[in-house]
Amino acid sequence: MPTLILVRHGRSTANTAGVLAGWTPHVALDERGAEQAAALPGRLEGLPIAEVVTSPLQRCQETVRPLLDARPGLPAHTDERIGECHYGDWSGRKLAELKDEPLMEVVQAHPSAAAFPGGESMRAMQTRAAEAVREWNARVERDHGADAVYLMCSHGDIIKSLVADALGLHLDLFQRISVEPCSVTAIRYTRLRPFLVRLGDTGDFASLAPREEPAGDDAPVGGGAGAP
């Protein structure tokens, strides 16, 4: 079965503003995010990518544009199932405001029980994304062979949930996974099991350095803004 390259979108204006964007329209890459996207073709040079599948949201479309420009004719598709979690009434709100919501404790410690008001549950988010991957695995293998490589550009919580699915981790453990903006995660699927072969690779170790303000114990809902 194919190898899936999961790319989180580059840093967005919502990331730097500390806003939970969700499906809010017109959330674009910021200047650094645009630079990250521009570097993506070089980082993936040499990989024979057969197909590109992306979330319909603007920040993902902008992230893959330089790669598609560098590889004319590379088939590109949009799939809503790998779009961001539907955060409902939380969408567009400051993360600093949301941290005191009682639901945030559930999101952090028991995400399989978390359902966003006016939105979807985190279980439903993982289910739709995993179903999309399985369908695309079959389609890519059919069209390009069992050793094909394809790319999906998606969002932090989606990618974390797919990593948990690949590792056989309960969704309640997915907040232990971190994927920064424009990071590359790779999962090689086989008949018996998936193999996680890269996780959150940015090629930049700046995020490992101590920060002036401690990152805290909570996982950033939506994925966070990455290294300063």
Side-chain angles (χ1 to χ4, degrees):
M1 297 178 70
T3 295
L4 170 60
I5 306 297
L6 287 161
V7 176
R8 185 184 166 201
H9 63 78
R11 196 175 74 176
S12 73
T13 54
N15 293 146
T16 47
V19 169
L20 187 62
W23 283 70
T24 303
H26 312 305
V27 175
L29 299 182
D30 68 7
E31 184 177 353
R32 180 171 178 182
E35 292 172 352
Q36 292 170 331
L40 193 60
R43 291 170 60 197
L44 299 176
E45 187 176 6
L47 274 180
I49 297 171
E51 307 262 356
V52 170
V53 186
T54 184
S55 156
L57 295 173
Q58 180 176 336
R59 53 198 183 273
C60 287
Q61 300 280 335
E62 290 179 351
T63 298
V64 299
R65 176 49 51 195
L67 176 64
L68 296 176
D69 288 345
R71 301 195 187 196
L74 178 60
H77 315 272
T78 297
D79 193 326
E80 290 196 357
R81 294 174 297 175
I82 62 166
E84 181 61 285
C85 185
H86 290 277
Y87 297 117
D89 297 344
W90 279 26
S91 299
R93 293 182 60 188
K94 289 275 191 179
L95 288 165
E97 299 172 359
L98 293 170
K99 67 181 178 65
D100 295 325
E101 293 277 356
L103 178 60
M104 182 59 85
E105 185 177 6
V106 182
V107 170
Q108 293 292 326
H110 190 18
S112 67
F116 295 97
E120 70 179 332
S121 69
M122 301 198 94
R123 293 190 316 278
M125 173 199 74
Q126 183 187 44
T127 297
R128 63 172 163 86
E131 287 178 350
V133 166
R134 281 161 176 74
E135 288 182 19
W136 278 103
N137 281 349
R139 175 173 171 174
V140 169
E141 181 173 7
R142 180 197 69 202
D143 295 344
H144 303 281
D147 295 327
V149 177
Y150 74 108
L151 182 146
M152 280 186 170
C153 184
S154 188
H155 306 266
D157 283 347
I158 295 288
I159 294 173
K160 288 162 55 177
S161 75
L162 290 171
V163 170
D165 175 75
L167 291 176
L169 289 178
H170 196 283
L171 185 61
D172 285 346
L173 300 179
F174 100 128
Q175 297 290 28
R176 302 182 182 196
I177 299 165
S178 176
V179 289
E180 291 203 355
C182 223
S183 62
V184 172
T185 294
I187 302 170
R188 186 172 72 248
Y189 289 87
T190 73
R191 185 174 63 85
L192 296 181
R193 65 183 62 84
F195 292 91
L196 179 66
V197 292
R198 291 288 188 281
L199 176 61
D201 187 349
T202 64
D204 180 359
F205 296 105
S207 63
L208 302 181
R211 303 187 182 186
E212 292 183 8
E213 296 183 8
D217 296 329
D218 286 347
V221 180

